Amino acid sequence: MGPGALSSILDQLPKFQDPNLIVGFDVSDDACVYQISEDLAIVETADFFPPIVDDPYAYGQIAAANSLSDIYAMGGVPRLALNLLCVPNCLSTDVLLQILKGGSDKVIEANCVLAGGHTIEDNEPKYGLCVTGMVHPKKVLKNVGAKPGDLLVLTKPIGSGVLTTAMKADLLEKSSYDILVEQMATLNAKGGAAVTATGGANACTDVTGFGLLGHSYEMTGAGDITIQLSAGAIPFMPQAWEMASMGIIPAGAYRNFDYVKPYVSVADGVPQAAVDLLADPQTSGGLLVALPEEQAKELLSRCQDFTQYARIVGQVLPRREKAVEIVP
């Protein structure tokens, strides 16, 4: 669902009051966090979606990586996972096995335990996980809390929504497809560990369905800051710029931009392709982290050990006219 429709529904639901609920659904964060003891809290999330690639094993990997990502975004470590699988009766058992094998291998890579799950019949296949993680209650990372002076570090390139749309039209080169699948199937485990090792993060989220623009807007939280994104600093996947410039844009990108449009300013000189890619809904995207300048540079240095794509993509300013600014 688009962020606008989802928000209007959630606003009508009762808010649960429990002193041990550190993070609930009322703050639009990546997962809920519930404190169990003085030094232990659990992080809980669920995520599933239909296939975005044709290869069932790769689909399973991507869906699992996307589900596990929310735990890392909260500063936690995944410990227990359950499969969520919707199955059309026309799919062969071998295809289902490959989907589950892809998910299982990714859960194992995360040093997590896959303990079961739930399966139903549906007209369209859907797969994902319910994941439980652990975190120290005082080390929970939230998507709000960024402070003026912070820099924003992004740990993965964006463009997966545009590229999967291009893939359906047979416009994607094999090398670009391979990088697309590789990035979507990459766990945010190393990025999360780098954030923890660096310390000092004031806010963190993973970039998924609401796009970099939508998740940046969520980071502005109570409204006392403005996030300024530098379009020229943002890493894009191969062919993403080319496809966006051709107008190969998924419908979700338009929904995302329509939702945040009243709160966003776009400076002169920012290409339309950049705006479209910032709104592009991502699958299993990277972490977006707000840290003071010194820690941001340290985090960027740590990320170079495992990715060539991590960048400082913007900064946090005292609140200005708009919540998010896009500059060249």
Side-chain angles (χ1 to χ4, degrees):
M1 295 181 66
L6 182 60
S7 177
S8 67
I9 293 172
L10 295 180
D11 286 346
Q12 300 179 59
L13 296 179
K15 306 299 187 291
F16 290 88
Q17 302 298 321
D18 187 320
N20 293 318
L21 185 63
I22 299 174
V23 180
F25 71 82
D26 54 315
V27 292
S28 301
D29 217 319
D30 299 302
C32 67
V33 183
Y34 192 87
Q35 185 167 347
I36 300 298
S37 66
E38 185 177 340
D39 58 358
L40 178 64
I42 58 170
V43 189
E44 195 78 16
T45 187
D47 208 324
F48 62 99
F49 49 72
I52 56 171
V53 294
D54 291 333
D55 182 275
Y57 179 79
Y59 165 49
Q61 285 192 307
I62 293 165
N66 186 75
S67 301
L68 291 158
S69 180
D70 287 338
I71 305 298
Y72 299 121
M74 303 300 296
V77 178
R79 287 290 180 241
L80 186 69
L82 299 172
N83 281 320
L84 302 173
L85 180 64
C86 301
V87 184
N89 55 25
C90 61
L91 279 187
S92 70
T93 55
D94 182 62
V95 169
L96 296 178
L97 174 61
Q98 289 303 307
I99 293 172
L100 293 175
K101 182 69 164 56
S104 175
D105 285 351
K106 198 52 62 171
V107 170
I108 291 171
E109 182 184 336
N111 293 314
C112 186
V113 176
L114 187 56
H118 186 63
T119 305
I120 64 169
E121 286 192 0
D122 197 354
N123 292 329
E124 183 179 33
K126 302 175 186 70
Y127 175 64
L129 301 172
C130 175
V131 188
T132 301
M134 295 183 179
V135 66
H136 192 287
K138 294 183 179 179
K139 296 181 179 180
V140 175
L141 297 178
K142 301 179 182 180
N143 65 353
V144 294
K147 303 181 185 306
D150 284 353
L151 298 181
L152 295 169
V153 176
L154 179 64
T155 64
K156 280 188 185 183
I158 65 172
S160 61
V162 164
L163 292 182
T164 51
T165 302
M167 179 186 66
K168 295 171 185 176
D170 292 326
L171 295 173
L172 206 57
E173 297 172 3
K174 175 65 164 55
S175 59
S176 300
Y177 170 81
D178 290 343
I179 293 173
L180 168 66
V181 172
E182 176 191 37
Q183 288 300 313
M184 291 192 296
T186 296
L187 291 174
N188 276 323
K190 291 181 179 179
V195 173
T196 300
T198 299
N202 289 318
C204 182
T205 189
D206 61 340
V207 181
T208 51
F210 298 163
L212 180 59
L213 197 54
H215 290 290
S216 295
Y217 171 64
E218 287 183 338
M219 265 192 166
T220 62
D224 55 351
I225 60 169
T226 286
I227 284 183
Q228 186 181 82
L229 297 171
S230 300
I234 294 166
F236 300 117
M237 295 185 198
Q239 277 196 277
W241 186 271
E242 175 191 352
M243 294 296 106
S245 298
M246 291 170 56
I248 310 299
I249 310 297
Y254 295 113
R255 287 196 300 269
N256 286 342
F257 188 76
D258 285 345
Y259 174 65
V260 300
K261 186 177 180 179
Y263 318 106
V264 174
S265 67
V266 181
D268 292 340
V270 177
Q272 184 60 45
V275 177
D276 291 336
L277 283 164
L278 286 172
D280 186 39
Q282 301 301 286
T283 298
S284 190
L287 300 178
L288 181 65
V289 194
L291 315 90
E293 182 176 357
E294 284 303 309
Q295 284 94 332
K297 292 178 179 178
E298 180 183 344
L299 174 59
L300 189 63
S301 177
R302 289 179 184 275
C303 288
Q304 303 311 310
D305 293 338
F306 56 86
T307 178
Q308 61 176 310
Y309 293 108
R311 300 283 191 280
I312 292 173
V313 298
Q315 61 180 326
V316 181
L317 305 170
R319 186 57 185 259
R320 310 213 297 194
E321 182 180 354
K322 299 291 185 177
V324 181
E325 298 177 351
I326 306 173
V327 299

